[in-house]
Amino acid sequence: MQFQVTRRAFLVGTGALFVAVSAPALSSLADRWALPRSLRDNRTLDTWLRIDAGGTVTAFSGKVELGQGIRTALAQIVSDELDVSIDRLRMASVDTGRSPDEGRTAGSDSVADSGSALRHAAAQARRILLDNAGARLTVDPGELRVDDGVVHTPDGRSVSYWELLGDRGFDADLRPDVIVKAPAESRSVGTSLPRLDLPAKVFGEPAFIQDLRLPDMVHARVVRGGTVARQVPSGAEDTVRGMPGVVDVVRDGDFLAVVAGREEQAIAAAAALRETMPPLAPAPEPPPDDVPSLLRQLEASDEVIADTSRGAPGVAREFSAEYSRPFLSHASLGPSCAIAQWDGDTMTVWSHAQGMYPLRDAIAEMLGLSEDRVRCIHADGAGCYGHNGADDAACDAALIARAMPGRPVRLQWMRDDEFRHAPVGSAMSLHASAGLDAAGRIVRWRYDIYSGSHSMRPSGGRSVGNLLAAREKTDPFPPARATDRGPPEGGADRNAVPLYRFENQRITKHIVQNPPLRTSALRSLGAHGNVFAIESFIDEIARAVGADPFEYRLRHLDDSRARDVLSRLRELAADAPAAMSAGRSGRGLAFAQYKNSSAYLALVVDVDIDPGTGRIRVVRALAAADVGRVVNPDGVRNQIEGGIVQATSWTLREQVRFSAGGVESTDWATYPILGFRDAPEIDVVLIDRPDEPSVGVGEAAQGPTSAAIANAVADAVGVRLRHLPFTPARMNAALRA
């Protein structure tokens, strides 16, 4: 960026291109970029906070509650900065008719983005309220103190926030020069307050979108699968319309749905429509069982994402290995659900998707409406780990509701719908090679990723074709060409660039254009596969050169916080000797900084292997994490524990089985997940850094967990498993080899 001063304007540009910008405009631009990221396009204070006359404060965020506890963490931040008790705070659900646009809740960015935005907004709101109180009470604002929203003077007089501003707006733009409180002034942040969203969920009260009921609501089911709509005879629709409770059959091109007054009536009608289909033609030859080989055979777009491979390092020893993970389902315990209502002018949709604004844009384009005629409101869903079926269900409901003006339409997917039709996390084939010098240090690193896209979420524009309903309707939108986010956030290449110091490295990703299954974002995206491969490979090399796994990693790390996390874990592991059992026991280590910019997490796991069955059980996991300033310690531990349990399930059990006819993993029998009795004992230690920005932790444990399990297996039996999942059959085959 270059700046040239003229008489009344600045010339701002890059290279040979310059644009005249007035000094006030440049100042405004500078102010915008000085604000926290989420405030830059949401610069009105009233967008974020409202002082209610009844003695409460409502905070608005564009990040949704997905079970990660963000509602509680954000409330703690506002509570501290505004000096009100958390009992007075109301965290509004994300609503495109009212909330700030913060895109999607993804990438473990909620505390970093929305937290910093709300902290800044609350600090400015407090400043305005103190100035108003000082004017009303004729006292210097610097002499005032606030206790739970009540402003006190030194001589005992007081006025409350709600008296000063109740139900009226701040009418102020957010400024970059706001001073937030020092960490030492915190009362709520840094404490483990109870989760605000849990009581209703624990005690069985209406808490999820699946529980939401609106007056005069009808229930719908989609009959889906390739050309199903064209295969159902037209006369069958009339027969189904005569079934008990059926209100309508909605057909729009290849989109077919039934609507009934009660849910079980809609289920019965959908089943009746399926029974009218002619027998399916024999499926073509299935794809090969070897998914890594399949990925390498398909058309792919190639991109070098890091290249410092200059010079010829002195290599004394070389290593190489291939790793893979299969296609993985989100396997949300509650199948996707949405409610939509069309009043003839506005489409209102309730959804548990991760991004209300992108969903609004996609629905508006699909229906040919302007964005201001679509309103999307978030409601909690029973599990969401990325781009599962939530967006598709919302668009299904909207398409049906348009055909039934005035009545709310509740669209619920069945379990097999979720497994068959929701996007899956892409399989990945990963090849690593390394050259070592005479001292055993890595001096050359090569790494290749073969993967489908991890970034096929729907929105307006070309990506609306990523929605099933948009592809199926009479005037369909074509599926978008596979694209993938690049560094630093990354998709397939997330965490593909090691945090270790490898001065000579080349990293290439190959994005498969037409994978056999529909892929998109799954928790941690490509970081899971990449950290699994990199940390397994590092461990293999360390063992080959006879190095301690902690010491070998530290030998290649310059990052002081990374070194601190590994050192703290080593202390924790030394105080907890490896858990021994009747089988063959082993201990494994893995480490990563999520996205190389977020939470640092190091993990040790103890495994037990049954020599008779080949069954691997994770007995215990010890973790050390650095997330910067810790907002809610228990919430951070919950996220790490949940990530370890889910990744253990991915590592030992999960894979989407498919053939040329489609997905064959359609229930819990064909897609088993980890049960309660198999969950490991987990101990998490947090390194709190109150003077550092808070960073996200929700996806930090996935890759290290799989790698640590692989490394523990190698420690136990001297056999290296490189291809997920580590099933008993795969373990036994490796032992026999």
Side-chain angles (χ1 to χ4, degrees), residues 537-551:
F537 193 44
I538 290 288
D539 199 74
E540 290 194 50
I541 296 172
R543 291 177 186 277
V545 301
D548 174 81
F550 280 100
E551 186 278 329

Side-chain angles (χ1 to χ4, degrees), residues 71 227 262 662:
R71 193 175 296 156
T227 58
R262 296 178 57 85

Side-chain angles (χ1 to χ4, degrees), residues 17 25-26 30 38 66 185 187 226-227 395 418 473 475 491 499 568 627 634 639 641 677 686:
L17 177 64
L26 187 62
S38 284
L66 301 169
E185 300 178 77
R187 296 182 181 180
T227 58
C395 292
E418 191 76 31
K473 59 198 291 285
D475 48 343
L499 195 66
R568 182 67 186 92
V627 300
D634 189 54
Q639 286 297 286
E641 291 163 356
R677 68 179 181 178
L686 303 179

Side-chain angles (χ1 to χ4, degrees), residues 16-93:
L17 177 64
F18 289 87
V19 179
V21 181
S22 67
L26 187 62
S27 175
S28 176
L29 183 65
D31 284 353
R32 177 178 181 270
W33 284 99
L35 289 166
R37 182 164 63 176
S38 284
L39 296 182
R40 293 169 192 166
D41 294 317
N42 303 280
R43 293 191 61 182
T44 303
L45 181 54
D46 293 318
T47 302
W48 297 89
L49 289 170
R50 184 181 69 219
I51 305 297
D52 306 311
T56 59
V57 175
T58 301
F60 301 89
S61 166
K63 301 296 185 180
V64 302
E65 178 64 63
L66 301 169
Q68 81 278 42
I70 193 62
R71 193 175 296 156
T72 308
L74 295 180
Q76 289 179 252
I77 291 169
V78 175
S79 171
D80 269 358
E81 210 62 51
L82 203 53
D83 281 327
V84 297
S85 70
I86 202 163
D87 293 335
R88 291 191 184 274
L89 276 169
R90 306 291 181 265
M91 295 301 302
S93 295

Side-chain angles (χ1 to χ4, degrees), residues 458-701:
S459 186
R462 289 174 293 178
S463 64
V464 70
N466 292 336
L467 291 161
L468 294 178
R471 297 181 188 181
E472 296 165 340
K473 59 198 291 285
T474 301
D475 48 343
F477 290 83
R481 179 175 172 81
T483 58
D484 199 67
R485 298 176 66 182
E489 294 287 314
D493 57 8
R494 184 170 290 185
N495 273 96
V497 179
L499 195 66
Y500 302 108
R501 185 179 66 256
F502 301 149
E503 294 179 359
N504 185 303
Q505 62 180 342
R506 181 181 175 90
I507 300 165
T508 308
K509 71 174 177 180
H510 313 267
I511 298 301
V512 174
Q513 288 302 310
N514 296 293
L517 299 179
R518 179 181 174 226
T519 67
S520 192
L522 173 67
R523 191 178 190 182
S524 82
L525 282 72
H528 171 245
N530 289 320
V531 174
F532 160 64
I534 292 168
E535 285 295 297
S536 294
F537 193 44
I538 290 288
D539 199 74
E540 290 194 50
I541 296 172
R543 291 177 186 277
V545 301
D548 174 81
F550 280 100
E551 186 278 329
Y552 197 70
R553 286 168 172 81
L554 291 170
R555 191 189 305 181
H556 293 85
L557 277 172
D558 292 332
D559 188 307
S560 61
R561 291 171 67 176
R563 297 177 64 87
D564 286 350
V565 167
L566 278 164
S567 298
R568 182 67 186 92
L569 178 65
R570 182 158 52 180
E571 295 170 0
L572 181 64
D575 292 338
M580 304 298 291
S581 63
R584 303 191 210 179
S585 301
R587 169 169 281 190
L589 164 69
F591 159 81
Q593 182 191 17
Y594 184 53
K595 298 190 295 187
N596 289 0
S597 62
S598 194
Y600 298 83
L601 189 139
L603 182 73
V604 158
V605 302
D606 295 331
V607 303
D608 172 70
I609 303 170
D610 186 322
T613 65
R615 180 175 175 268
I616 302 168
R617 180 169 178 263
V618 179
V619 179
R620 179 169 60 189
L622 308 173
D626 175 354
V627 300
R629 186 181 185 186
V630 178
V631 176
N632 186 311
D634 189 54
V636 173
R637 291 190 181 94
N638 289 166
Q639 286 297 286
I640 294 171
E641 291 163 356
I644 291 170
V645 170
Q646 185 177 42
T648 299
S649 185
W650 288 353
T651 306
L652 301 182
R653 300 193 179 183
E654 296 185 38
Q655 60 180 320
V656 177
R657 299 187 181 278
F658 63 99
S659 68
V663 172
E664 295 180 347
S665 301
T666 58
D667 54 27
W668 299 120
T670 51
Y671 192 88
I673 63 173
L674 200 73
F676 284 104
R677 68 179 181 178
D678 293 318
E681 174 189 339
I682 301 173
D683 188 9
V684 178
V685 172
L686 303 179
I687 300 174
D688 188 17
R689 298 187 184 275
D691 294 322
E692 295 287 345
S694 301
V695 294
V697 73
E699 299 168 291

